Every structure is written in C-alpha cells, then in structure tokens.
Amino acid sequence: MWETSRLGPDAHQIQFEGNYQEPGWERWLLLTGDRHWDNQHSDWSLQKKHLDLAVERNAPVIDVGDFFCLMQGKYDKRKSSDALRPIHRGEEYFDDVPNTAVDFFRPYAHQFAVLGYGNHETSIIKHHQTDILARFAYRLNAETGSSVQVGGYGGYVKLRFVLPGEKKRKSIWLRYFHGSGGGGGVVTKGVIGTNRRMYYDADIVVTGHIHERWRVELVKESMSDYGTLTLRPQVHLCVSTYKQEYNTKGGWHVERGAPPKPLGGWWLRFTWDAAQERVVFQTMETL
C-alpha cells in the first residue's frame, strides 16, 4: 500500500496507494529518532511494541537519526561498561553493532522507509571512517528484500497520495533534521528552535536530538500568482528517544542536572477531508 523511492540527493518520496476518497480510508506513518539501539539503556521492548503496531497498520517509519549510540568503541572517552550490552563486548564492536541490529530489526525491515543520520553516526564516520547506518541498511535490504533508504542529516520526504485510475494527486511535504545544540534548554525544551526553522518549505518539520517530545503549529503566509493570499499551517514535531538514562544513582545525564525524558515518537494518521478537498493528518503520541 506504499512504496519508497529517491527523488534526488536530498529528497525521498513515500507514495501511498488506495482511494483516499473512500469512506473509512486512512494511512499511518511512524516518526522516531534517537533510538540509541545498542546502548544498554535503550528500551527494546518499547521499540518492538511500536514497530509491531507499525506492522499492523502497515505504516512506513521515518527515523531522524541517532539510530545507534556507538559510544563504546575502544578509544572513545565517553565509553562506559554500564552502557555496553553483553552481545557487543567483543573486539569487533563496530561490526557487531550493525550485525546484531539486523537480527533485531529483521521482522520490521519492510516498515522502515527513510533513515536519517544523527551526530552519533556522523561522528563515527569522521573518526573511524566507517558508515554504520549505511552498512546496517545495506545488509537489511540484502537479507530481507526491503528497500530501506538512507537519507542525510536532514532532508525532505514527499508524502504522495494518488487516486487510482486518475491523475489527481495530493502531496504533503515533510522536512526532517536531526537537530543541533546541547540539549534544548531546561525551560524552552527546544521549542524556540521552531522559529528558526520556519524557512523550510514543508508542511511538517520533524527534529530530534534533544530527547524531548512536543508539537507546535505555526502559520506561514504566501501569495499566489493571481494575488490571492493563502495561510498555510506548518506543524513542528520533536521526537523523543528510546533511551531511558534517568536514575537516582548518578551518571552523566543525572549529574548534569538533566530531568527525566519522555520515550517514543509520533504517529501521523492521514484521512480525506471532503470539505477541504485534501488529505489531512492528525498527530498522536506513541504510548
């Protein structure tokens, strides 16, 4: 009911099939980020719960980076034995992580549409000259026949809805960007960044990195060639994380004064609005 393709160096397309004007028509999409999958504190059971639901809903998954943690390498000053999983305690850490990840995510391979890079993946490329995310996607595709696409640190995804047998089509543009900065701020939770990203030409803007989850709607104005003023909503979503690192014993997260963080991402549910004659979407938290 959907397929992914590459439009260009910075853009992908997810095309949803089916008659979106039929009563009861709906499509789903799962937005995630900051899984930090190989970290001991990454919640594997919650990831499986959300991915099982993605399979049930046949929902594509867009992940906006830091799919892997990758901080337990031999020469990484941030490494901690408490964060290292037993299955990765070998001499081939940067091989073991993507190999074991393929085993874990194999049942969900056909749900992943686009995987973006986070600062954890780009750091490994910079310091160790190996692309763990691309290696993971390549092997997952080779072993399962999936078509997982690797994006960038940011990029665009065109969500395209086609009416069967006709030339009518509706599209929603999504802009993803992993994120930047040191944590989003205790007070603002990173929401202030939405005003710095309004220049994106997109209906939905998705970010991660700061392990917060929120939704903010802004409105952009534009002028048509015929002099008609239009107002277009732009929804900003911050996906959180699957790494639960808050505790009362200590550690880097707690000792720098960081609070508990929400876990999970966002669901997008698409339906047809006959009054507006367009595909609309709702946002729902993953529970």
Side-chain angles (χ1 to χ4, degrees):
M1 298 198 316
W2 60 271
E3 62 178 4
T4 309
S5 59
R6 182 180 290 275
L7 295 178
D10 305 310
H12 291 84
Q13 175 177 277
I14 301 176
Q15 179 166 307
F16 294 88
E17 304 294 345
N19 190 341
Y20 53 73
Q21 293 183 356
E22 287 184 348
W25 177 93
E26 66 177 12
R27 294 292 183 268
W28 294 83
L29 188 148
L30 177 60
L31 299 170
T32 62
D34 294 276
R35 292 176 180 272
H36 296 277
W37 177 82
D38 52 301
N39 190 286
Q40 179 71 34
H41 305 294
S42 181
D43 192 330
W44 284 9
S45 62
L46 187 61
Q47 293 182 59
K48 286 188 174 186
K49 175 184 175 181
H50 294 162
L51 289 171
D52 283 337
L53 190 51
V55 172
E56 179 182 327
R57 293 171 169 172
N58 194 16
V61 179
I62 298 175
D63 192 277
V64 299
D66 282 356
F67 197 97
F68 298 110
C69 201
L70 304 172
M71 295 199 305
Q72 310 311 316
K74 186 175 182 179
Y75 302 107
D76 198 319
K77 295 180 180 179
R78 303 167 297 177
K79 67 178 183 291
S80 168
S81 58
D82 291 338
L84 186 63
R85 291 184 179 273
I87 59 174
H88 300 140
R89 291 176 182 173
E91 293 298 319
E92 299 176 341
Y93 173 67
F94 291 125
D95 293 325
D96 291 338
V97 169
N99 290 342
T100 53
V102 168
D103 294 334
F104 181 91
F105 289 105
R106 185 179 285 108
Y108 312 109
H110 292 275
Q111 301 311 129
F112 285 106
V114 179
L115 302 180
Y117 288 88
N119 54 289
H120 282 248
E121 287 93 8
T122 57
S123 176
I124 297 304
I125 295 173
K126 177 181 178 181
H127 295 289
H128 298 280
Q129 298 175 302
T130 184
D131 189 333
I132 302 296
L133 190 68
R135 287 167 57 188
F136 164 70
Y138 176 83
R139 183 175 167 188
L140 195 64
N141 289 338
E143 294 191 11
T144 68
S146 58
S147 58
V148 181
Q149 301 287 316
V150 178
Y153 198 88
Y156 284 86
V157 180
K158 183 180 183 180
L159 307 175
R160 187 170 182 257
F161 304 88
V162 181
L163 199 61
E166 298 185 21
K167 294 183 179 180
K168 289 183 179 180
R169 63 195 64 176
K170 304 292 181 180
S171 297
I172 295 174
W173 279 97
L174 181 148
R175 176 65 156 94
Y176 68 91
F177 173 66
H178 175 67
S180 60
V186 175
V187 177
T188 68
K189 305 294 183 182
V191 174
I192 195 172
T194 59
N195 292 292
R196 300 188 179 102
R197 301 185 184 110
M198 281 194 71
Y199 63 87
Y200 292 151
D201 186 18
D203 304 291
I204 306 169
V205 179
V206 185
T207 56
H209 184 60
I210 57 176
H211 297 194
E212 300 287 355
R213 183 168 61 193
W214 40 255
R215 178 191 188 278
V216 173
E217 183 172 328
L218 305 177
V219 179
K220 302 180 69 172
E221 72 170 41
S222 62
M223 182 63 65
S224 74
D225 293 337
Y226 302 98
T228 301
L229 179 69
T230 61
L231 302 178
R232 180 165 63 113
Q234 185 183 69
V235 175
H236 292 249
L237 297 171
C238 185
V239 299
S240 190
T241 181
Y242 285 94
K243 184 171 71 168
Q244 177 55 276
E245 54 189 331
Y246 185 84
N247 60 69
T248 58
K249 295 183 294 183
W252 178 80
H253 181 84
V254 175
E255 292 172 17
R256 71 187 181 97
K261 300 286 187 173
L263 299 184
W266 287 95
W267 290 103
L268 296 183
R269 177 177 176 263
F270 301 96
T271 56
W272 173 252
D273 188 314
Q276 300 183 65
E277 293 190 333
R278 66 187 182 97
V279 175
V280 296
F281 63 90
Q282 297 172 288
T283 58
M284 303 179 186
E285 294 182 7
T286 56
L287 300 176

